[in-house]
Every structure is written in structure tokens, then in C-alpha cells.
Amino acid sequence: MSRPILKFVGLVGHHGAGKSHLCRIAQRELGWRVIVKREVLRDICPAYARLTPGWEDWYRSEYRRKGGCQMMKDILAATAPSRNISIIDSIHNEDEWAAVKTTDEAALLVGVFSPEIIRKERNLGRQNYSDAVRLHSWHESRMSVVPCLLSQLDWAFGGAVGEEAMASALRCLSEFIIADTTQTPVTS
């Protein structure tokens, strides 16, 4: 028996692991839509909060008040439907993933991993870069007792590979999705 049609692929990985790079290739090679959470949040931020102290303070306050599950539901609700798969950059904790799975039971969680030395090089000069914060968020949840977001991975990519290898690996994921569902590929 095949799974229902999949709408979302969520990415998880450290800062600088290659998630955004994977998204660009998925968009170009497969026609997948990329949902960048920061961009959607910036779009739904009320006008008053775009002024000082800024939308990021608004987002953090809303996240603390509503929790990751509701924030992700808000992000998905603010995103127009797509005929093709949408890839979410990125999922930070189990509560966000629970919101995606509530919306799309067939959604896949995909890890993107690169060695620390490569991630550090990619993050040179980035403010607020912290693998410790990301690691902590993978192990927290308001909603369930799932021990770690990574325990729910359906697929994984090496984020340090070249573009051709990444595109080839993405095609393998796409073939897996098509073979395991009633889905047909959509070209952009």
C-alpha cells in the first residue's frame, strides 16, 4: 500500500550544513518550492513590529508565547498551496515537525550533515551562530516525549558533497517519493 501524496519535505541540520544549498538545487533541478521560514515570518510580521526593536524580536516573543508548533502552523498557513513538493528550510525542533506532520502526514524529515570544520568555515562572520543552541533545540519539545528530532529522520544528505552529487542524491529522494506514493512528478 502506498503512502498519501507528500506535500512537504522538512530539513534539519546545523548552521552551515548545506540545507540552503540543497534547497536551491531542489528548486532548480526538481521544481520544488522552497519555504524559508525567516522570509515567511518577515512577511507575516505586523507593521508595528518591523520598526525598532524589529521583526526578529517580535518573532522570538511570539515563539515563546505560542510555541514552535503554532508558529509553524502560522508559517504554513501563510504559504500559498503548491502543486509540487515544498521543501522547508528548516525544522528546528520536534514541535515544529509535529505541526508539519499534522498538516501532511506523509511529510518527510531530511537531515543535512557536514563536518564541523566545513560548517565553521561557512559560518565565518555570522552573528549568533551557535551549534549548541541548534543541538539543544533538537532535544526540546513542549508537546511530546520524543527524545530527539533526529530520531525521526526519513532520509539524509551529506552537505559537503559537490553540486552534481547533491543533485544526483536529490533525484534518488524524488524517485523514492514517487515510488512510495501515488505521486507523479510535477515540472516547473
Side-chain angles (χ1 to χ4, degrees):
M1 184 166 151
S2 58
R3 292 181 316 148
I5 292 178
L6 177 141
K7 295 184 265 186
F8 296 108
V9 169
L11 298 182
V12 61
H14 286 96
H15 295 277
K19 298 179 304 296
S20 296
H21 184 62
L22 179 80
C23 285
R24 285 188 296 274
I25 296 170
Q27 187 173 40
R28 185 186 69 231
E29 297 288 324
L30 302 173
W32 290 6
R33 177 181 54 180
V34 177
I35 298 174
V36 179
K37 286 181 0 187
R38 289 179 71 83
E39 292 174 8
V40 177
L41 286 167
R42 197 174 297 131
D43 290 344
I44 64 175
C45 175
Y48 72 85
R50 291 186 184 143
L51 307 172
T52 304
W55 79 271
E56 287 183 343
D57 290 338
W58 167 83
Y59 159 67
R60 288 183 186 102
S61 171
E62 288 293 287
Y63 199 97
R64 282 188 299 276
R65 187 173 70 81
K66 292 181 173 181
C69 185
Q70 186 58 52
M71 287 303 290
M72 181 57 76
K73 285 179 180 178
D74 292 351
I75 289 166
L76 295 176
T79 305
S82 175
R83 292 179 342 138
N84 209 344
I85 292 170
S86 295
I87 188 166
I88 304 168
D89 185 3
S90 68
I91 305 296
H92 291 139
N93 59 46
E94 196 278 330
D95 294 345
E96 290 180 357
W97 184 237
V100 174
K101 290 296 278 188
T102 298
T103 304
D104 174 16
E105 68 179 24
L108 297 178
L109 186 62
V110 174
V112 182
F113 304 101
S114 292
E116 182 179 29
I117 192 166
I118 292 172
R119 295 192 321 271
K120 282 185 176 182
E121 183 178 307
R122 290 175 178 168
N123 286 298
L124 285 177
R126 180 182 282 175
Q127 291 182 347
N128 300 324
Y129 158 73
S130 172
D131 278 347
V133 170
R134 182 66 51 94
L135 282 171
H136 175 73
S137 70
W138 291 344
H139 299 289
E140 71 179 0
S141 172
R142 290 184 185 178
M143 297 180 54
S144 76
V145 293
V146 175
C148 177
L149 181 62
L150 299 182
S151 70
Q152 298 180 61
L153 286 180
D154 297 297
W155 200 271
F157 287 95
V161 300
E163 194 159 317
E164 189 174 310
M166 183 79 76
S168 177
L170 266 165
R171 284 189 292 276
C172 290
L173 174 60
S174 179
E175 289 168 11
F176 166 77
I177 291 167
I178 291 166
D180 199 36
T181 67
T182 55
Q183 220 153 310
T184 56
V186 175
T187 56
S188 54

